PDB file of all heavy atoms in Angstrom:
ATOM      1  N   MET A   3      21.039   3.994   6.907  1.00 93.00           N
ATOM      2  CA  MET A   3      20.708   5.415   7.150  1.00 93.00           C
ATOM      3  C   MET A   3      21.992   6.198   7.413  1.00 93.00           C
ATOM      4  O   MET A   3      22.987   5.551   7.863  1.00 93.00           O
ATOM      5  CB  MET A   3      19.787   5.605   8.382  1.00 93.00           C
ATOM      6  CG  MET A   3      18.318   5.528   8.106  1.00 93.00           C
ATOM      7  SD  MET A   3      17.361   6.155   9.469  1.00 93.00           S
ATOM      8  CE  MET A   3      18.026   5.315  10.887  1.00 93.00           C
ATOM      9  N   PHE A   5      23.172  10.514   8.629  1.00 95.00           N
ATOM     10  CA  PHE A   5      22.675  11.817   9.010  1.00 95.00           C
ATOM     11  C   PHE A   5      23.834  12.793   8.997  1.00 95.00           C
ATOM     12  O   PHE A   5      24.955  12.527   9.480  1.00 95.00           O
ATOM     13  CB  PHE A   5      22.060  11.783  10.416  1.00 95.00           C
ATOM     14  CG  PHE A   5      21.518  13.090  10.883  1.00 95.00           C
ATOM     15  CD1 PHE A   5      20.376  13.622  10.232  1.00 95.00           C
ATOM     16  CD2 PHE A   5      22.128  13.812  11.880  1.00 95.00           C
ATOM     17  CE1 PHE A   5      19.863  14.855  10.684  1.00 95.00           C
ATOM     18  CE2 PHE A   5      21.598  15.074  12.289  1.00 95.00           C
ATOM     19  CZ  PHE A   5      20.442  15.540  11.689  1.00 95.00           C
ATOM     20  N   LYS A 237      22.725  -3.767  17.129  1.00 95.00           N
ATOM     21  CA  LYS A 237      23.453  -2.503  17.065  1.00 95.00           C
ATOM     22  C   LYS A 237      23.397  -1.864  18.396  1.00 95.00           C
ATOM     23  O   LYS A 237      22.413  -1.948  19.093  1.00 95.00           O
ATOM     24  CB  LYS A 237      22.824  -1.561  15.990  1.00 95.00           C
ATOM     25  CG  LYS A 237      23.615  -0.239  15.754  1.00 95.00           C
ATOM     26  CD  LYS A 237      23.041   0.557  14.666  1.00 95.00           C
ATOM     27  CE  LYS A 237      23.830   1.832  14.374  1.00 95.00           C
ATOM     28  NZ  LYS A 237      23.311   2.611  13.299  1.00 95.00           N
ATOM     29  N   VAL A 238      24.483  -1.208  18.753  1.00 95.00           N
ATOM     30  CA  VAL A 238      24.602  -0.419  20.021  1.00 95.00           C
ATOM     31  C   VAL A 238      25.235   0.884  19.742  1.00 95.00           C
ATOM     32  O   VAL A 238      26.163   1.000  18.897  1.00 95.00           O
ATOM     33  CB  VAL A 238      25.360  -1.219  21.084  1.00 95.00           C
ATOM     34  CG1 VAL A 238      26.770  -1.499  20.692  1.00 95.00           C
ATOM     35  CG2 VAL A 238      25.314  -0.556  22.448  1.00 95.00           C
ATOM     36  N   GLU A 239      24.801   1.928  20.422  1.00 95.00           N
ATOM     37  CA  GLU A 239      25.478   3.250  20.307  1.00 95.00           C
ATOM     38  C   GLU A 239      25.699   3.783  21.728  1.00 95.00           C
ATOM     39  O   GLU A 239      24.765   3.609  22.586  1.00 95.00           O
ATOM     40  CB  GLU A 239      24.601   4.228  19.497  1.00 95.00           C
ATOM     41  CG  GLU A 239      24.575   3.895  17.961  1.00 95.00           C
ATOM     42  CD  GLU A 239      24.256   5.066  17.102  1.00 95.00           C
ATOM     43  OE1 GLU A 239      23.868   6.133  17.688  1.00 95.00           O
ATOM     44  OE2 GLU A 239      24.360   4.941  15.844  1.00 95.00           O
ATOM     45  N   TYR A 240      26.850   4.447  21.951  1.00 94.00           N
ATOM     46  CA  TYR A 240      27.226   4.832  23.295  1.00 94.00           C
ATOM     47  C   TYR A 240      27.512   6.323  23.171  1.00 94.00           C
ATOM     48  O   TYR A 240      28.427   6.787  22.516  1.00 94.00           O
ATOM     49  CB  TYR A 240      28.524   4.051  23.633  1.00 94.00           C
ATOM     50  CG  TYR A 240      28.996   4.177  25.067  1.00 94.00           C
ATOM     51  CD1 TYR A 240      28.150   4.646  26.047  1.00 94.00           C
ATOM     52  CD2 TYR A 240      30.268   3.793  25.423  1.00 94.00           C
ATOM     53  CE1 TYR A 240      28.597   4.740  27.373  1.00 94.00           C
ATOM     54  CE2 TYR A 240      30.741   3.836  26.733  1.00 94.00           C
ATOM     55  CZ  TYR A 240      29.948   4.288  27.702  1.00 94.00           C
ATOM     56  OH  TYR A 240      30.320   4.357  29.000  1.00 94.00           O
ATOM     57  N   LYS A 241      26.601   7.086  23.800  1.00 93.00           N
ATOM     58  CA  LYS A 241      26.641   8.572  23.669  1.00 93.00           C
ATOM     59  C   LYS A 241      26.714   9.242  25.058  1.00 93.00           C
ATOM     60  O   LYS A 241      25.969   8.896  26.008  1.00 93.00           O
ATOM     61  CB  LYS A 241      25.408   9.154  22.930  1.00 93.00           C
ATOM     62  CG  LYS A 241      25.231   8.533  21.545  1.00 93.00           C
ATOM     63  CD  LYS A 241      26.404   8.839  20.612  1.00 93.00           C
ATOM     64  CE  LYS A 241      26.139   8.241  19.261  1.00 93.00           C
ATOM     65  NZ  LYS A 241      27.370   8.486  18.374  1.00 93.00           N
ATOM     66  N   PHE A 249      24.170   7.773  27.565  1.00 94.00           N
ATOM     67  CA  PHE A 249      23.068   6.954  26.953  1.00 94.00           C
ATOM     68  C   PHE A 249      23.723   5.746  26.215  1.00 94.00           C
ATOM     69  O   PHE A 249      24.710   5.836  25.528  1.00 94.00           O
ATOM     70  CB  PHE A 249      22.282   7.760  25.926  1.00 94.00           C
ATOM     71  CG  PHE A 249      21.326   8.775  26.477  1.00 94.00           C
ATOM     72  CD1 PHE A 249      21.790  10.047  26.779  1.00 94.00           C
ATOM     73  CD2 PHE A 249      20.003   8.364  26.747  1.00 94.00           C
ATOM     74  CE1 PHE A 249      20.901  10.960  27.423  1.00 94.00           C
ATOM     75  CE2 PHE A 249      19.123   9.269  27.249  1.00 94.00           C
ATOM     76  CZ  PHE A 249      19.565  10.560  27.593  1.00 94.00           C
ATOM     77  N   ILE A 251      22.180   2.941  23.665  1.00 95.00           N
ATOM     78  CA  ILE A 251      20.979   2.667  22.895  1.00 95.00           C
ATOM     79  C   ILE A 251      21.209   1.451  22.071  1.00 95.00           C
ATOM     80  O   ILE A 251      22.211   1.374  21.387  1.00 95.00           O
ATOM     81  CB  ILE A 251      20.542   3.860  22.045  1.00 95.00           C
ATOM     82  CG1 ILE A 251      20.425   5.105  22.952  1.00 95.00           C
ATOM     83  CG2 ILE A 251      19.264   3.644  21.242  1.00 95.00           C
ATOM     84  CD1 ILE A 251      20.350   6.438  22.197  1.00 95.00           C
ATOM     85  N   PHE A 287      18.978   2.332  13.218  1.00 95.00           N
ATOM     86  CA  PHE A 287      18.708   3.453  13.980  1.00 95.00           C
ATOM     87  C   PHE A 287      19.927   4.321  14.097  1.00 95.00           C
ATOM     88  O   PHE A 287      21.106   3.792  13.953  1.00 95.00           O
ATOM     89  CB  PHE A 287      18.165   3.077  15.393  1.00 95.00           C
ATOM     90  CG  PHE A 287      19.154   2.579  16.354  1.00 95.00           C
ATOM     91  CD1 PHE A 287      19.926   3.478  17.172  1.00 95.00           C
ATOM     92  CD2 PHE A 287      19.367   1.201  16.469  1.00 95.00           C
ATOM     93  CE1 PHE A 287      20.843   2.904  18.052  1.00 95.00           C
ATOM     94  CE2 PHE A 287      20.324   0.708  17.357  1.00 95.00           C
ATOM     95  CZ  PHE A 287      21.051   1.579  18.192  1.00 95.00           C
ATOM     96  N   LEU A 288      19.809   5.620  14.298  1.00 95.00           N
ATOM     97  CA  LEU A 288      20.887   6.593  14.462  1.00 95.00           C
ATOM     98  C   LEU A 288      20.597   7.478  15.612  1.00 95.00           C
ATOM     99  O   LEU A 288      19.412   7.871  15.794  1.00 95.00           O
ATOM    100  CB  LEU A 288      21.126   7.397  13.217  1.00 95.00           C
ATOM    101  CG  LEU A 288      21.716   6.743  11.939  1.00 95.00           C
ATOM    102  CD1 LEU A 288      21.660   7.809  10.801  1.00 95.00           C
ATOM    103  CD2 LEU A 288      23.144   6.359  12.215  1.00 95.00           C
ATOM    104  N   THR A 289      21.570   7.821  16.358  1.00 95.00           N
ATOM    105  CA  THR A 289      21.431   8.810  17.427  1.00 95.00           C
ATOM    106  C   THR A 289      21.884  10.239  16.955  1.00 95.00           C
ATOM    107  O   THR A 289      22.995  10.315  16.454  1.00 95.00           O
ATOM    108  CB  THR A 289      22.269   8.457  18.694  1.00 95.00           C
ATOM    109  OG1 THR A 289      21.982   7.068  19.062  1.00 95.00           O
ATOM    110  CG2 THR A 289      21.946   9.332  19.892  1.00 95.00           C
ATOM    111  N   LEU A 290      20.965  11.139  17.076  1.00 95.00           N
ATOM    112  CA  LEU A 290      21.313  12.557  16.619  1.00 95.00           C
ATOM    113  C   LEU A 290      21.951  13.249  17.779  1.00 95.00           C
ATOM    114  O   LEU A 290      21.383  13.332  18.894  1.00 95.00           O
ATOM    115  CB  LEU A 290      20.058  13.272  16.165  1.00 95.00           C
ATOM    116  CG  LEU A 290      19.219  12.587  15.063  1.00 95.00           C
ATOM    117  CD1 LEU A 290      18.130  13.482  14.563  1.00 95.00           C
ATOM    118  CD2 LEU A 290      20.068  12.055  13.950  1.00 95.00           C
ATOM    119  N   CYS A 291      23.152  13.861  17.501  1.00 93.00           N
ATOM    120  CA  CYS A 291      23.933  14.536  18.522  1.00 93.00           C
ATOM    121  C   CYS A 291      24.159  15.985  18.150  1.00 93.00           C
ATOM    122  O   CYS A 291      24.130  16.377  16.992  1.00 93.00           O
ATOM    123  CB  CYS A 291      25.226  13.788  18.825  1.00 93.00           C
ATOM    124  SG  CYS A 291      25.015  12.094  19.273  1.00 93.00           S
ATOM    125  N   GLN A 300      28.840  14.117  23.386  1.00 90.00           N
ATOM    126  CA  GLN A 300      27.976  13.960  22.263  1.00 90.00           C
ATOM    127  C   GLN A 300      26.653  14.664  22.386  1.00 90.00           C
ATOM    128  O   GLN A 300      26.088  15.148  21.481  1.00 90.00           O
ATOM    129  CB  GLN A 300      27.693  12.432  21.973  1.00 90.00           C
ATOM    130  CG  GLN A 300      28.961  11.639  21.657  1.00 90.00           C
ATOM    131  CD  GLN A 300      29.620  12.173  20.407  1.00 90.00           C
ATOM    132  OE1 GLN A 300      29.135  12.048  19.257  1.00 90.00           O
ATOM    133  NE2 GLN A 300      30.802  12.801  20.578  1.00 90.00           N
ATOM    134  N   GLU A 301      26.159  14.773  23.630  1.00 91.00           N
ATOM    135  CA  GLU A 301      24.899  15.407  23.909  1.00 91.00           C
ATOM    136  C   GLU A 301      23.782  14.929  22.950  1.00 91.00           C
ATOM    137  O   GLU A 301      23.222  15.740  22.138  1.00 91.00           O
ATOM    138  CB  GLU A 301      25.021  16.948  23.812  1.00 91.00           C
ATOM    139  CG  GLU A 301      26.090  17.574  24.677  1.00 91.00           C
ATOM    140  CD  GLU A 301      25.743  17.475  26.149  1.00 91.00           C
ATOM    141  OE1 GLU A 301      24.590  17.223  26.453  1.00 91.00           O
ATOM    142  OE2 GLU A 301      26.655  17.626  26.976  1.00 91.00           O
ATOM    143  N   PRO A 302      23.402  13.638  23.059  1.00 94.00           N
ATOM    144  CA  PRO A 302      22.314  13.182  22.177  1.00 94.00           C
ATOM    145  C   PRO A 302      20.998  13.811  22.500  1.00 94.00           C
ATOM    146  O   PRO A 302      20.640  14.078  23.685  1.00 94.00           O
ATOM    147  CB  PRO A 302      22.315  11.664  22.476  1.00 94.00           C
ATOM    148  CG  PRO A 302      22.779  11.549  23.853  1.00 94.00           C
ATOM    149  CD  PRO A 302      23.795  12.653  23.996  1.00 94.00           C
ATOM    150  N   TYR A 303      20.201  14.092  21.467  1.00 94.00           N
ATOM    151  CA  TYR A 303      18.835  14.740  21.705  1.00 94.00           C
ATOM    152  C   TYR A 303      17.702  13.947  21.050  1.00 94.00           C
ATOM    153  O   TYR A 303      16.573  14.166  21.344  1.00 94.00           O
ATOM    154  CB  TYR A 303      18.912  16.181  21.220  1.00 94.00           C
ATOM    155  CG  TYR A 303      19.235  16.358  19.792  1.00 94.00           C
ATOM    156  CD1 TYR A 303      18.251  16.346  18.771  1.00 94.00           C
ATOM    157  CD2 TYR A 303      20.537  16.599  19.397  1.00 94.00           C
ATOM    158  CE1 TYR A 303      18.542  16.565  17.452  1.00 94.00           C
ATOM    159  CE2 TYR A 303      20.887  16.793  18.019  1.00 94.00           C
ATOM    160  CZ  TYR A 303      19.893  16.754  17.076  1.00 94.00           C
ATOM    161  OH  TYR A 303      20.174  16.957  15.778  1.00 94.00           O
ATOM    162  N   ALA A 304      18.031  13.017  20.086  1.00 95.00           N
ATOM    163  CA  ALA A 304      16.995  12.305  19.449  1.00 95.00           C
ATOM    164  C   ALA A 304      17.563  10.990  18.897  1.00 95.00           C
ATOM    165  O   ALA A 304      18.783  10.869  18.664  1.00 95.00           O
ATOM    166  CB  ALA A 304      16.313  13.119  18.384  1.00 95.00           C
ATOM    167  N   VAL A 305      16.669  10.006  18.600  1.00 96.00           N
ATOM    168  CA  VAL A 305      17.034   8.817  17.948  1.00 96.00           C
ATOM    169  C   VAL A 305      16.138   8.625  16.706  1.00 96.00           C
ATOM    170  O   VAL A 305      14.925   8.704  16.874  1.00 96.00           O
ATOM    171  CB  VAL A 305      16.910   7.553  18.875  1.00 96.00           C
ATOM    172  CG1 VAL A 305      17.278   6.313  18.126  1.00 96.00           C
ATOM    173  CG2 VAL A 305      17.738   7.755  20.129  1.00 96.00           C
ATOM    174  N   VAL A 306      16.750   8.400  15.549  1.00 95.00           N
ATOM    175  CA  VAL A 306      15.971   8.131  14.335  1.00 95.00           C
ATOM    176  C   VAL A 306      15.899   6.623  14.189  1.00 95.00           C
ATOM    177  O   VAL A 306      16.963   6.004  14.169  1.00 95.00           O
ATOM    178  CB  VAL A 306      16.647   8.764  13.068  1.00 95.00           C
ATOM    179  CG1 VAL A 306      15.776   8.580  11.843  1.00 95.00           C
ATOM    180  CG2 VAL A 306      16.957  10.212  13.318  1.00 95.00           C
ATOM    181  N   LEU A 318      14.926  12.235  23.168  1.00 93.00           N
ATOM    182  CA  LEU A 318      15.652  11.772  24.311  1.00 93.00           C
ATOM    183  C   LEU A 318      15.680  12.783  25.436  1.00 93.00           C
ATOM    184  O   LEU A 318      16.006  12.401  26.572  1.00 93.00           O
ATOM    185  CB  LEU A 318      17.058  11.410  23.955  1.00 93.00           C
ATOM    186  CG  LEU A 318      17.257  10.207  22.976  1.00 93.00           C
ATOM    187  CD1 LEU A 318      18.744  10.037  22.674  1.00 93.00           C
ATOM    188  CD2 LEU A 318      16.724   8.943  23.624  1.00 93.00           C
TER     189      LEU A 318
END
Side-chain angles (χ1 to χ4, degrees):
M3 273 196 308
F5 182 69
K237 185 175 182 179
V238 63
E239 291 202 350
Y240 192 14
K241 303 298 180 183
F249 283 87
I251 304 165
F287 74 88
L288 286 175
T289 307
L290 307 188
C291 302
Q300 299 300 291
E301 302 294 344
Y303 58 88
V305 180
V306 187
L318 294 178

